Every structure is written in structure tokens, then in C-alpha cells.
């Protein structure tokens, strides 16, 4: 294992410390319990939007803390859920009196710990709601989940909910919009190589030089099938087809699209995938109204790609376009 780390047990804390130091204009942090929160929090009268999950998926989630997105994020150890004490402390720090929305990826540990935190906060009198993200079309159940995994669609739900909260929406309205985004977003990914969790020191799985894992999870979970290598257009089609079927896209529909690298994939290759995605959707009469190409939810140094499509309407596009200022996303007044 060759990684730019010091002690394995310090990886998450030191990475978080470095993130906050690099983006001190928008971030603050608590070392114990560990969480990241936006500078200037809490904001009186604003719904607090909080997410979190295992580390190793950067920039998710801490990279999306800031104006127009998350108020706080709770990083767990690599590929391990944060604990309820982190969520409770984060919520108390950023609660502005208008309630708290948790955005939770559908992994068993995340779901259980956020539910416990929600109960603890309600016992203390806070208004708390949760929205689950389960956008992966690859498998119905996986190593870590009951039901579909929450993957790239999490970025979209966090952006939509964060924009609504920034604009002063109530907790019920922010939760409705987050749920709407969650229901209209779908993703699927593939791996060309495994990744190595620092605490293990060896690859999570093995792929032969001519093999690809189709439908991989962001923790290295098995996908739909292991196939022989194919060219980029064919692989893009394999990822896109199940998403098209799930969203029932037809001519005249609009989408927000994300071509996401898994951590070790060059931008050159991601743009080759986007080229095919654009061509396929254009041929169907589906308009890509907004797009992201790059590393937005990763799996350490895994080589691979995922596609995410959100079936958009005027309401969701308006919220997507609202200003955002975080380490990983910045546009509008947040530029």
C-alpha cells in the first residue's frame, strides 16, 4: 500500500483538518466529536441541512458544506458510518430554530445511526426530519443495504435541499423538495479497478486486467455482473440503459446529468463518457439542461465511473441554479 498518509488511525481527522484549513472562508470544524460546519452557523430562522457518512468518498460530504448546500457534515472512518453523537452535536451547533433535515444515504449503518440521532434530538425538543437517498439502479440489495444504495444522487439532493433552506423554506418544504429530488434521481457505476482501505492495506477485491465490475457500489460492493472489458461507448450504454428505463425518459424531458469519476479516473476519460451520454440523450430528444463532469462522490483511488440523471422541472432547475459556495461546488454569487 502506497498512500500519502501518516498513521492509519489519523487519516480521517488529518484530512478533515486539512480541508478546513484550505477552505477557512467557508468551513469550521469540531475535532471531538468530529464534524464540519459552515462558517457563521447557526443562522437564525434557517432550516439546518445535515448529512454525513463514511470517509473515502470525498468531496462527499464535507466538501459540500457551505452557503447554499449543507450546514454540517459528519465524517465517519473510511467506509464506516459516523456515530449518533456526531450528528447530535452537529445539529445542536447549526440549529437556527427552524428545524433540522438529515439527508441519509441508504446504507444500514448510516440509516440506523441517523435514526438514533433523530430520536435523541426529538427527545430534546428539536424538530427533525430525514430524507433517504436510494438512487442506485444496479442492485435491489447489496452487502451494506436493505434496498437500493444511496450513491451519486446524494449530491443532487443535498444541493436542492440546501438551496431551498438558504432561500428560507420551512422544514416541511425543504423535506418535500429533497424527497422530490430523491425520487427523480437515478445512478449506476462501474469499476475498472479496486481501491485499498488504509486500515486493510490490500485491495477490497481483485479484477483481472480484462475484467470490469458493472454496477459497483461506492464501498467496493459487488455489482450486477463481472464482464470482459469493452470500449467506452459500450460501457456508457450499459450504465445508461437501466437509468433510462427507471426514469422513463422520453423526448422533451429535461435532465441534470453527472458523469462522476470514482477517484482514479482521468478527466479525459470522463469527457469521453460524457460525449457518448450527450449523443445518446440528444438522439432521444432529452435535453441535458445542467451537467457536472468530475470527481463528486468517489471511492478512494478506484478507477471507474458512474452516471447520475435527475429528471428535472422548473422548480428543481431553479434550486439547482441558486448560488452555492462550498469547497467542491461554487457558482452564482458563490463564485
Amino acid at each position: 500500500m502506497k498512500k500519502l498518509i501518516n498513521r492509519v488511525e489519523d487519516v480521517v481527522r488529518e484530512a478533515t483538518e486539512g480541508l478546513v484549513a484550505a477552505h477557512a472562508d467557508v468551513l469550521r470544524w469540531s475535532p471531538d466529536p468530529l464534524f464540519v460546519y459552515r462558517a457563521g452557523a447557526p443562522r437564525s430562522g434557517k432550516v439546518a441541512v445535515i448529512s454525513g457518512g463514511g470517509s473515502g468518498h470525498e468531496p462527499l460530504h464535507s466538501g459540500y458544506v457551505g452557503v447554499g448546500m449543507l450546514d454540517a457534515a459528519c465524517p465517519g472512518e473510511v467506509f464506516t458510518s459516523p456515530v449518533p453523537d456526531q450528528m447530535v452535536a452537529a445539529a445542536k451547533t447549526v440549529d437556527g430554530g427552524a428545524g433540522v433535515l438529515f439527508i441519509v444515504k441508504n446504507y444500514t449503518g448510516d440509516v440506523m445511526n441517523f435514526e438514533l440521532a433523530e430520536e435523541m434530538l426529538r427527545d430534546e425538543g428539536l424538530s427533525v426530519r430525514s430524507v433517504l437517498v436510494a438512487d442506485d439502479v444496479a442492485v435491489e440489495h447489496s452487502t451494506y443495504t436493505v434496498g437500493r444504495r444511496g450513491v451519486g444522487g446524494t449530491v443532487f439532493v443535498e444541493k436542492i435541499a440546501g438551496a431551498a433552506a438558504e432561500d428560507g423554506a420551512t422544514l416541511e418544504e425543504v423535506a418535500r423538495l429533497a424527497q422530490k429530488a430523491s425520487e427523480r434521481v437515478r445512478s449506476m457505476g462501474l469499476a475498472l479497478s479496486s481501491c485499498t482501505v488504509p486500515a486493510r492495506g490490500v485491495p477490497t477485491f481483485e479484477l483481472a486486467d480484462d475484467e470490469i465490475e458493472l454496477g459497483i457500489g461506492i464501498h467496493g460492493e459487488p455489482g450486477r455482473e463481472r464482464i470482459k472489458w469493452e470500449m467506452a461507448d459500450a460501457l456508457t450504454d450499459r450504465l445508461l440503459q437501466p437509468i433510462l428505463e427507471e426514469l422513463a425518459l422520453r423526448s422533451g424531458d429535461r435532465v441534470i446529468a453527472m458523469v462522476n469519476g470514482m477517484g482514479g479516473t482521468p478527466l479525459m476519460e470522463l469527457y469521453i463518457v460524457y460525449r457518448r451520454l450527450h449523443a445518446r440523450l440528444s438522439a432521444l430528444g432529452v435535453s441535458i439542461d445542467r451537467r457536472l463532469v468530475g470527481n463528486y462522490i468517489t471511492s478512494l483511488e478506484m478507477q471507474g465511473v458512474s452516471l447520475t440523471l435527475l429528471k428535472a422541472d422548473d422548480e428543481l432547475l431553479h434550486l439547482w441554479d441558486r448560488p452555492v459556495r462550498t469547497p467542491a461546488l461554487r457558482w452564482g454569487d458563490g463564485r
Side-chain angles (χ1 to χ4, degrees), residues 178-239:
Q179 184 64 40
K180 177 179 177 178
S182 180
E183 291 172 356
R184 295 167 71 103
V185 69
R186 296 291 184 271
S187 302
M188 187 168 170
L190 61 82
L192 307 177
S193 71
S194 181
C195 60
T196 299
V197 176
R200 291 190 61 195
V202 295
T204 304
F205 59 91
E206 296 290 342
L207 279 176
D209 289 344
D210 63 344
E211 289 182 327
I212 288 167
E213 188 76 23
L214 186 66
I216 195 74
I218 57 174
H219 306 96
E221 311 97 302
R224 283 190 171 188
E225 57 181 327
R226 188 164 291 188
I227 63 172
K228 294 297 183 180
W229 176 85
E230 296 175 349
M231 292 187 179
D233 285 359
L235 292 174
T236 303
D237 290 348
R238 283 184 179 270
L239 296 181

Side-chain angles (χ1 to χ4, degrees), residues 91-104:
K92 289 181 177 179
T93 298
V94 300
D95 173 40
V100 174
L101 177 70
F102 286 148
I103 297 174
V104 187

Side-chain angles (χ1 to χ4, degrees), residues 44 53-54 56 80 91 130 142 173 182 218 309 316 319:
S44 179
T80 303
S130 293
S142 75
E173 181 68 359
S182 180
I218 57 174
L309 296 182
L316 294 177
L319 291 168

Side-chain angles (χ1 to χ4, degrees), residues 231-253:
M231 292 187 179
D233 285 359
L235 292 174
T236 303
D237 290 348
R238 283 184 179 270
L239 296 181
L240 179 59
Q241 191 57 41
I243 297 173
L244 292 175
E245 293 169 3
E246 285 274 335
L247 292 177
L249 292 173
R250 59 182 184 273
S251 180
D253 283 338

Side-chain angles (χ1 to χ4, degrees), residues 120-202:
M120 294 164 67
L121 290 166
R122 283 180 171 168
D123 287 345
E124 296 192 29
L126 272 72
S127 298
V128 188
R129 297 278 299 275
S130 293
V131 170
L132 192 67
V133 184
D135 56 308
D136 188 0
V137 303
V139 291
E140 289 296 327
H141 303 283
S142 75
T143 310
Y144 294 80
T145 66
V146 176
R148 290 178 167 174
R149 303 173 291 217
V151 288
T154 312
V155 179
F156 290 59
V157 177
E158 290 178 356
K159 175 63 179 78
I160 298 299
E166 200 73 42
D167 285 348
T170 64
L171 178 59
E172 290 70 24
E173 181 68 359
V174 175
R176 179 189 74 81
L177 289 162
Q179 184 64 40
K180 177 179 177 178
S182 180
E183 291 172 356
R184 295 167 71 103
V185 69
R186 296 291 184 271
S187 302
M188 187 168 170
L190 61 82
L192 307 177
S193 71
S194 181
C195 60
T196 299
V197 176
R200 291 190 61 195
V202 295

